Amino acid sequence: MTETTNIQKQTNFDVIVIGAGHAGCEAALSSARLGKKTLILATNLDTVAHLACNPSIGGTAKGQIVKEIDALGGEMAVNTDKSLLQLRMLNRSKGPAVYSPRAQVDKFAYHTNMKHTLESTSNLYLRQGEATDIEVKNDGYSVRVATGLTYSAKAVVVATGVYLNSKIIIGKYVNECGPNGFVSATKLTDSLIGLGYQIRRFKTGTPARINARSIDFKSTSIQCGEIDMPPFSYINDNKNVKQHPCYLTYTTEATKDIILKNKDKAPVFTGEISGIGPRYCPSIEDKVVRFSDKERHQIFLEPEGINTQEIYVQGVSSSMPADIQYEIYRTVKGLENVEIMRDAYAIEYDCIDSTILYPSLMSKINTGLFFAGQINGTSGYEEAAAQGIMAGINASRFIEKKEPIVLQRSQAYIGVLIDDLTTKGTNEPYRMMTSRAEYRLILRQDNADLRLTEIGKQIGLVDDTRYNIFCAKNQQLKEAETILNQILKPAQINPVFVKADEAEVKTGITIKAALKRAKITVAILEREFGLFKDYMPQVKEQIEIETKYEGYIAKEKEKIAAAVKTENKTLPVELDYTKISGLRKEAQQKLNKIRPLTLGQASRISGVSPADISVLAVYLMGNGKHE
């Protein structure tokens, strides 16, 4: 009897997560931390949180996403800080709306630390096994693995990354495997097709890894991190002492000549690659052909870890034959004698049409089946992790029969990402950029905790330690409001203004008004008057941004308030749009396919015009559905 009970415990779960990449890890951790017995399946345990491409986390818009995952109680930022090599803030010269933290990490430490976290989490079971079949049952799903074992669960999250029928391409060499030669998942696609999902073929790529000993670093420019920059996670202290440099170099005219001369050997042009590649992360051969008037392209040399000589060559992704790769790389300054350790390659893989999903990331076809990460057509670790945490949260809430958590476009980049995927879909690997967010001055990297920590607390993912840190920050911000309204006399502030080349005043001025001056900073006020001396660095940053951009922020909040009126008008899921007179045929078809949940979501569907939205608004009012 005891033996049977043990077997039952090992095969029956609340949630099964298929895939242990960045989406799978966040999905499994959030589900388990919310008290759900969770199984996470990996084709190979060595692929857990594997950084298949660049050894970095964050970047433009992506850094904001990582901060949001952290604010909700996720793991990516915490794991980044554990594995850190260096940290920088991108876009410092472009204004706080687009400030984006980016970390170089030790890719091997990142994998090890995340795997240890999974192994140490209550309710979470990590298992090696290739999922081959998902079968619908009366009380949920059964998932079969290649070895013949079958597991059951009330909800399933599919987070297979780039492993579905994946193959790597290097010139004419094709190998049916995943990144770094890891085994691909060859059976699950047929199961998904059988369940009614439309499969697409996408492609991405990665550059070569080269030996650091073969690089002439004197011919490159050193790129150091920012020692005083706060860590990624809000729960960590404010000391960042890691400093492992990267290096900057450039392609040359010779690089362009070799690529153009061998264009006929590039799989991206010969038809060897059928998958659709990312517009915003093209291969070096694609960049040279598309931007033929550009004299050179930036290349960053990034360490893969502290215990390896492997260097990632960011900016030279390629699927050229291996011998041509040598010729290309050796035209780059500092790489004249380079030794390639791992060839660059393109990778093709299966994914689904993301418009088949609700904004909760649950399938419209199968209740309780969720999808997250690159299987939804995205590219990037951060985009995957963001979908993962939301899928894990909503799978858990589905089991509890609770309403799903759906972040709005005005609340988070995560909201923008998921709304774009489920409403607009994507015809190429989707990459988050700051330009995709309408309210990016509100959705800054410095205030993600203020936007989302309360939500994470209500969900149950934010623990007391994290919440207490959040409350302490909030308390300092409230105290700062009082300080900012204090008056400085001309005799006090004018010497500071003169030193900063700012116009003097004849009457008293509030500290807030002084800080609004272009050349006055919190650091100056702290130095001259001792203001905010004991405040957290993140609080000081926020005080400065919120003060200097107060007017712009207020205008953006007004836009959000106006948009909410349309955004929150609900549409019945079962509504047949072909029966609404006045809607154009294209709009009827698109609306019936996407089945938007709100009028705001409907307004963002390609092919649905403002006139169609007006017709829908009138229809809702006439049917008593307006709010």
Side-chain angles (χ1 to χ4, degrees):
M1 188 69 171
T2 304
E3 185 178 351
T4 305
T5 303
N6 287 337
I7 292 172
Q8 193 76 2
K9 284 181 179 178
Q10 292 174 1
T11 58
N12 293 340
F13 295 88
D14 294 315
V15 177
I16 294 174
V17 178
I18 301 174
H22 307 285
C25 288
E26 294 291 352
L29 285 168
S30 58
S31 168
R33 287 167 174 170
L34 290 173
K36 301 298 172 287
K37 186 179 176 185
T38 304
L39 173 69
I40 180 170
L41 293 168
T43 53
N44 185 326
L45 292 189
D46 293 334
T47 66
V48 171
H50 176 56
L51 301 175
C53 200
N54 51 323
S56 69
I57 300 293
T60 303
K62 294 167 178 278
Q64 284 88 329
I65 288 176
V66 179
K67 288 281 194 179
E68 291 174 354
I69 294 168
D70 188 59
L72 287 168
E75 195 66 23
M76 179 170 261
V78 175
N79 203 56
T80 297
D81 290 339
K82 288 179 184 176
S83 318
L84 197 64
L85 293 181
Q86 72 154 247
L87 193 57
R88 300 182 72 192
M89 186 69 76
L90 305 185
N91 297 329
R92 284 244 188 235
S93 63
K94 297 181 180 179
V98 293
Y99 286 175
S100 303
R102 185 179 190 269
Q104 291 297 141
V105 296
D106 185 317
K107 69 184 296 180
F108 308 102
Y110 192 91
H111 153 75
T112 302
N113 289 331
M114 187 65 86
K115 182 169 179 281
H116 178 70
T117 299
L118 295 176
E119 293 167 341
S120 306
T121 299
S122 299
N123 302 316
L124 185 54
Y125 301 80
L126 176 60
R127 185 71 162 87
Q128 182 166 295
E130 178 194 343
T132 61
D133 186 70
I134 300 172
E135 188 176 345
V136 180
K137 297 290 186 180
N138 290 334
D139 56 349
Y141 296 89
S142 67
V143 176
R144 189 177 301 113
V145 297
T147 55
L149 295 174
T150 299
Y151 302 98
S152 62
K154 299 167 187 172
V156 172
V157 178
V158 182
T160 47
V162 298
Y163 286 88
L164 286 188
N165 287 326
S166 56
K167 64 178 182 180
I168 64 168
I169 302 161
I170 305 170
K172 291 187 176 180
Y173 170 75
V174 177
N175 186 9
E176 294 184 354
C177 67
N180 273 25
F182 288 121
V183 65
S184 61
T186 59
K187 304 261 193 315
L188 191 60
T189 293
D190 288 342
S191 180
L192 293 174
I193 292 171
L195 289 172
Y197 296 92
Q198 177 187 346
I199 300 299
R200 315 166 91 178
R201 196 77 173 155
F202 276 6
K203 163 252 169 187
T204 186
T206 188
R209 274 61 164 182
I210 61 177
N211 194 323
R213 294 181 303 172
S214 67
I215 300 171
D216 176 13
F217 287 106
K218 293 178 182 177
S219 298
T220 67
S221 302
I222 193 167
Q223 302 285 297
C224 296
E226 299 179 28
I227 292 178
D228 295 328
M229 186 174 156
F232 244 117
S233 176
Y234 292 105
I235 68 170
N236 290 331
D237 62 28
N238 300 317
K239 295 177 182 177
N240 171 31
V241 296
K242 298 294 179 71
Q243 186 62 275
H244 295 274
C246 299
Y247 298 86
L248 172 65
T249 185
Y250 296 89
T251 61
T252 62
E253 279 295 325
T255 313
K256 184 191 296 187
D257 292 342
I258 287 173
I259 290 171
L260 294 176
K261 177 182 168 185
N262 293 281
K263 183 182 171 184
D264 61 327
K265 299 183 179 72
V268 71
F269 300 124
T270 63
E272 293 283 341
I273 293 175
S274 60
I276 302 169
R279 180 191 308 263
Y280 301 104
C281 191
S283 63
I284 187 64
E285 51 266 34
D286 201 11
K287 280 194 282 190
V288 164
V289 171
R290 282 167 55 187
F291 309 107
S292 57
D293 57 335
K294 194 166 183 177
E295 291 183 7
R296 62 180 189 173
H297 297 273
Q298 277 189 338
I299 293 174
F300 289 95
L301 305 177
E302 303 173 349
E304 294 247 298
I306 58 174
N307 295 314
T308 179
Q309 292 292 322
E310 287 189 75
I311 298 290
Y312 177 88
V313 191
Q314 182 184 305
V316 198
S317 172
S318 179
S319 59
M320 282 285 204
D323 58 335
I324 305 299
Q325 288 187 30
Y326 270 106
E327 293 184 45
I328 292 170
Y329 279 77
R330 286 179 174 168
T331 62
V332 175
K333 291 181 180 179
L335 307 187
E336 291 84 358
N337 299 301
V338 74
E339 295 174 16
I340 293 177
M341 299 177 74
R342 302 186 199 230
D343 296 311
Y345 60 83
I347 182 167
E348 286 189 347
Y349 53 94
D350 292 342
C351 57
I352 66 166
D353 179 354
S354 55
T355 61
I356 201 67
L357 306 176
Y358 290 116
S360 64
L361 295 179
M362 187 174 77
S363 166
K364 294 173 183 175
I365 300 175
N366 303 108
T367 302
L369 184 60
F370 296 78
F371 290 80
Q374 286 183 266
I375 191 170
N376 289 343
T378 59
S379 68
Y381 314 140
E382 302 82 1
E383 291 91 338
Q387 295 169 70
I389 191 171
M390 299 311 297
I393 289 169
N394 286 328
S396 176
R397 293 177 72 84
F398 166 78
I399 291 169
E400 295 175 0
K401 295 182 170 54
K402 292 180 179 178
E403 285 294 310
I405 299 296
V406 176
L407 299 177
Q408 302 301 312
R409 298 180 74 91
S410 57
Q411 287 180 296
Y413 272 90
I414 295 175
V416 176
L417 165 68
I418 293 176
D419 183 64
D420 279 353
L421 290 174
T422 58
T423 303
K424 302 175 184 177
T426 181
N427 292 320
E428 61 187 41
Y430 177 103
R431 179 181 179 180
M432 178 52 73
M433 297 174 291
T434 53
S435 60
R436 295 191 191 274
E438 303 93 318
Y439 311 113
R440 57 182 181 267
L441 188 54
I442 299 293
L443 309 183
R444 304 187 310 274
Q445 59 83 31
D446 63 278
N447 68 1
D449 55 340
L450 299 183
R451 291 185 278 116
L452 299 175
T453 301
E454 288 287 2
I455 295 174
K457 181 68 171 173
Q458 292 166 14
I459 293 168
L461 273 186
V462 169
D463 60 20
D464 289 342
T465 300
R466 181 183 287 277
Y467 193 67
N468 289 339
I469 293 170
F470 166 72
C471 290
K473 178 179 177 180
N474 250 341
Q475 183 59 37
Q476 288 189 348
L477 286 169
K478 287 178 183 176
E479 291 171 4
E481 289 178 16
T482 303
I483 294 171
L484 287 167
N485 288 321
Q486 293 176 1
I487 304 292
L488 290 170
K489 296 177 181 178
Q492 293 175 293
I493 193 62
N494 279 339
V496 178
F497 282 166
V498 169
K499 202 183 299 183
D501 197 25
E502 288 280 0
E504 296 180 66
V505 293
K506 294 181 179 179
T507 59
I509 185 173
T510 65
I511 294 171
K512 176 183 275 191
L515 187 54
K516 283 179 181 287
R517 298 282 187 99
K519 296 175 183 176
I520 301 300
T521 64
V522 166
I524 289 174
L525 295 176
E526 181 178 349
R527 185 184 68 228
E528 298 292 338
F529 304 109
L531 297 172
F532 315 116
K533 182 178 62 172
D534 299 321
Y535 282 33
M536 303 174 191
Q538 299 100 318
V539 174
K540 294 176 186 178
E541 178 186 35
Q542 201 142 13
I543 290 169
E544 188 157 319
I545 293 170
E546 292 279 347
T547 301
K548 288 188 180 297
Y549 293 86
E550 185 178 39
Y552 296 103
I553 290 170
K555 286 180 181 178
E556 204 151 281
K557 286 180 177 178
E558 287 174 9
K559 290 180 183 177
I560 291 171
V564 163
K565 295 177 182 178
T566 300
E567 188 64 44
N568 291 342
K569 288 182 179 177
T570 57
L571 291 165
V573 176
E574 70 283 356
L575 187 59
D576 183 354
Y577 292 93
T578 61
K579 294 182 179 178
I580 300 178
S581 60
L583 284 178
R584 294 173 308 111
K585 190 167 185 178
E586 181 186 7
Q588 291 175 339
Q589 292 172 345
K590 294 287 182 67
L591 289 163
N592 270 337
K593 179 190 175 188
I594 304 297
R595 300 218 157 274
L597 300 180
T598 66
L599 201 58
Q601 188 185 2
S603 71
R604 293 185 290 275
I605 297 173
S606 174
V608 177
S609 70
D612 295 319
I613 296 301
S614 296
V615 170
L616 279 178
V618 171
Y619 173 84
L620 289 177
M621 292 181 70
N623 284 271
K625 299 288 184 180
H626 61 287
E627 294 182 358

